[in-house]
Amino acid sequence: QSFLDELAQAIGKDPIDFRIDLLKKAKANPVGKNNEYDAARYMGVLELVKEKSKWTATPKGTHRGVAAYFCHNSYAAHVVDVTMKGGQPVIDKVVSVLDCGIVVNPDAAKNMVEGAVIDGIGNCLFGGLKFDKGVVTQQNLNQYRMIRMKEAPKKIDVHFVQNGIDPTGLGEPPFPPIFAALANALYKATGKRFYHQPFINELNKKA
C-alpha cells in the first residue's frame, strides 16, 4: 500500500484515484477466471472513503494517508488524519469504510472496526518484540509498549457499504490497512517513508 502511494506520487496521481484506476483496469481485463476479489467492491470502499473523509478538502496542517485491503471476502479502506506536535504524531481522525455484506449487528460491527483501528495504530507505532536466544525478552506489559488512551484517535468515523450480500469477515479485514494508511500519513507529515515497526523508533531517530 505504501508502494502504491509511491507510484501514485511518481506519476503525479491522487493516491485514491490511482488505486481506483488500477481496479477499473482489473475489472475490465481480469487476469484468470477465478479471482478471489471483486474489483467493483474493492473500488466501492475506496470511493466511499473518499467521499466520507472529504478527501479533497484536507484541513490545514493535517496530513492524510489512505490504504485499502481485501481478506476473508471483505473489503476495508481507511483514511487517517495526522497532525504533528513536538515531532510526535497526533491521530486526529480515522474514517473507515467496510464492505462485509449484510451487517447483522451494527453496534458490534462498529465496535470491531474501532478496536481494529486503535489496536492497529498501537501496534504500528509502538509494538515490537525482541528475542534473546529464542526467548521473548518482554515478559509483561511493563516491558511491552501499548497504545494509551490519549494516543488513540480523537474520532473514528465508521461506515458500511449497504448491500444484500451474505455476511463475510469483519474481525480481520480492518486491521492490516490501518498500518499502511498511518505510514502514508506520516510520509506526508515528515517526508520519510516508514517501513519498519515500531514507527516511533523511526520518528525519534536522530538524523
Side-chain angles (χ1 to χ4, degrees):
Q1 291 288 338
S2 291
F3 179 62
L4 286 173
D5 263 44
E6 291 182 60
L7 286 176
Q9 182 185 22
I11 63 174
K13 287 278 292 185
D14 176 90
I16 293 183
D17 291 342
F18 179 61
R19 287 168 168 82
I20 290 172
D21 286 346
L22 290 176
L23 287 164
K24 285 180 179 177
K25 292 177 181 177
K27 182 181 177 183
N29 298 289
V31 177
K33 295 181 180 179
N34 297 308
N35 291 303
E36 291 185 356
Y37 73 96
D38 183 327
R41 293 178 71 188
Y42 217 145
M43 280 190 284
V45 293
L46 284 162
E47 289 166 346
L48 190 55
V49 84
K50 182 179 182 179
E51 173 195 334
K52 295 298 184 181
S53 67
K54 297 180 173 61
W55 175 256
T56 56
T58 304
K60 186 177 181 180
T62 296
H63 310 280
R64 283 188 159 166
V66 64
Y69 190 69
F70 159 78
C71 73
H72 294 77
N73 295 318
S74 293
Y75 304 79
H78 301 293
V79 168
V80 177
D81 283 5
V82 170
T83 53
M84 299 297 289
K85 293 184 180 179
Q88 299 301 305
V90 176
I91 294 88
D92 297 302
K93 185 177 180 180
V94 177
V95 177
S96 303
V97 170
L98 276 291
D99 180 347
C100 56
I102 298 170
V103 178
V104 177
N105 186 329
D107 285 341
K110 181 173 179 284
N111 290 341
M112 290 183 76
V113 177
E114 291 169 338
V117 166
I118 294 170
D119 191 29
I121 288 171
N123 271 271
C124 64
L125 279 178
F126 310 115
L129 291 175
K130 295 181 180 179
F131 296 84
D132 181 19
K133 297 179 181 177
V135 178
V136 176
T137 58
Q138 292 96 325
Q139 297 294 317
N140 211 323
L141 291 178
N142 66 324
Q143 299 168 313
Y144 182 83
R145 177 77 157 86
M146 298 286 289
I147 191 170
R148 300 182 175 116
M149 289 181 68
K150 65 180 181 179
E151 295 161 339
K154 303 291 186 293
K155 183 177 182 181
I156 304 173
D157 191 10
V158 180
H159 302 272
F160 293 95
V161 174
Q162 301 299 314
N163 57 39
I165 298 171
D166 290 345
T168 49
L170 182 57
E172 294 83 0
F175 183 71
I178 197 68
F179 290 66
L182 179 56
N184 291 332
L186 288 173
Y187 169 72
K188 299 280 185 62
T190 65
K192 179 180 179 180
R193 290 290 179 188
F194 290 79
Y195 300 112
H196 305 289
Q197 296 167 235
F199 292 165
I200 201 70
N201 290 346
E202 297 295 315
L203 282 162
N204 294 335
K205 186 182 293 183
K206 294 182 179 180

